[in-house]
């Protein structure tokens, strides 16, 4: 993976994994963003799998960054979830072992929600190696985009760590952007009963 420093004018090239093969040797059709039986009965199912796209979010691109990626999911109908709701649902659905490797076994962990409304959620986190900004955005009624931006505090060590952890991050980001599909995301749903990570401002 190319870990060169990126400016907002550049985008990060995609790193798509090859599809698994079925027993008949044909590419498997189901993927992270594909539909469950329940989702197929709703009016908000995904059109296709989550895919990597260019980094264009204005919040993410407002400052220089060392690494950035973005994943998009298109829906066939209006999205029942706000960005905070689908991010929370997607993180909750991430396997525990991945969250432990990421250093956040409880999910969003120390991340602070600094903005949250019907269109966008912005989360920030920092550790000794890097500062992280994650932006979940509903782009119109049927399109979600999850953008992650890193700014390295210790560039040499951070690049070495991200070369490994980044592989899991990109797999997890595809899960997160599909969060809440087929479950209904409005207030009162089970996965929103946990205490909030931070207060919007």
């Amino acid at each position: 993976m190319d870990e060169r420093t990126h400016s907002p004018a550049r985008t990060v090239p995609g790193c798509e994994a090859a599809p698994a093969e079925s027993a008949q040797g044909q590419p498997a059709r189901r993927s992270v963003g594909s539909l469950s039986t329940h989702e197929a009965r709703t009016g908000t199912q995904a059109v296709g799998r989550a895919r990597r796209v260019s980094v264009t979010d204005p919040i993410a691109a407002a400052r220089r960054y060392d690494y950035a990626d973005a994943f998009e999911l298109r829906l066939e109908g209006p999205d029942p979830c706000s960005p905070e709701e689908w991010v929370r649902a997607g993180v909750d659905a991430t396997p525990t072992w991945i969250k432990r490797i990421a250093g956040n076994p409880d999910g969003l962990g120390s991340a602070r929600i600094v903005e949250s409304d019907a269109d966008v959620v912005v989360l920030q986190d920092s550790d000794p190696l890097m500062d992280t900004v994650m932006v979940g955005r509903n782009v119109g009624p049927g399109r979600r985009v999850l953008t992650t931006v890193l700014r390295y505090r210790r560039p040499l060590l951070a690049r070495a760590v991200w070369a490994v952890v980044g592989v899991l991050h990109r797999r997890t980001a595809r899960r997160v952007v599909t969060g809440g599909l087929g479950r209904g995301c409005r207030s009162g749903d089970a996965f929103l009963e946990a205490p909030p990570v931070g207060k919007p401002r």
Side-chain angles (χ1 to χ4, degrees), residues 115-167:
E115 181 179 349
S116 181
D117 58 32
D119 299 318
V120 66
V121 63
V122 182
L123 300 95
Q124 296 179 353
D125 198 7
S126 295
D127 61 37
L129 293 183
M130 63 187 76
D131 298 320
T132 304
V133 176
M134 181 182 295
V135 181
R137 190 179 294 276
N138 285 0
V139 185
R143 180 180 169 222
R144 299 174 176 179
V145 177
L146 178 69
T147 305
T148 304
V149 170
L150 307 181
R151 299 182 181 95
Y152 298 150
R153 293 185 170 190
R154 301 178 62 185
L156 292 178
L157 184 54
R159 285 190 179 94
V161 170
W162 192 251
V164 177
V165 176
V167 176

Side-chain angles (χ1 to χ4, degrees), residues 36-178:
S36 67
T37 302
H38 178 70
E39 290 163 4
R41 292 197 298 265
T42 72
T44 56
Q45 65 264 32
V47 174
R49 62 172 293 177
R51 65 188 187 98
R52 191 166 179 174
V53 295
S54 298
V55 174
T56 59
D57 191 276
I59 294 175
R63 294 172 51 196
R64 182 198 63 83
Y65 52 77
D66 296 295
Y67 173 89
D69 60 34
F71 292 88
E72 174 192 80
L73 184 73
R74 290 185 179 269
L75 308 175
E76 287 189 346
D79 197 336
C81 304
S82 71
E84 181 178 344
E85 289 167 340
W86 59 254
V87 167
R88 284 185 180 277
V91 170
D92 286 349
T94 300
T96 301
W97 67 270
I98 293 180
K99 289 186 277 194
R100 285 176 178 165
I101 290 175
N104 291 316
D106 296 326
L108 293 177
S110 60
R112 297 183 303 114
I113 296 179
V114 298
E115 181 179 349
S116 181
D117 58 32
D119 299 318
V120 66
V121 63
V122 182
L123 300 95
Q124 296 179 353
D125 198 7
S126 295
D127 61 37
L129 293 183
M130 63 187 76
D131 298 320
T132 304
V133 176
M134 181 182 295
V135 181
R137 190 179 294 276
N138 285 0
V139 185
R143 180 180 169 222
R144 299 174 176 179
V145 177
L146 178 69
T147 305
T148 304
V149 170
L150 307 181
R151 299 182 181 95
Y152 298 150
R153 293 185 170 190
R154 301 178 62 185
L156 292 178
L157 184 54
R159 285 190 179 94
V161 170
W162 192 251
V164 177
V165 176
V167 176
L168 285 177
H169 158 76
R170 288 183 287 276
R171 293 179 61 184
T172 302
R174 288 183 172 89
R175 290 177 178 265
V176 172
V177 79
T178 65

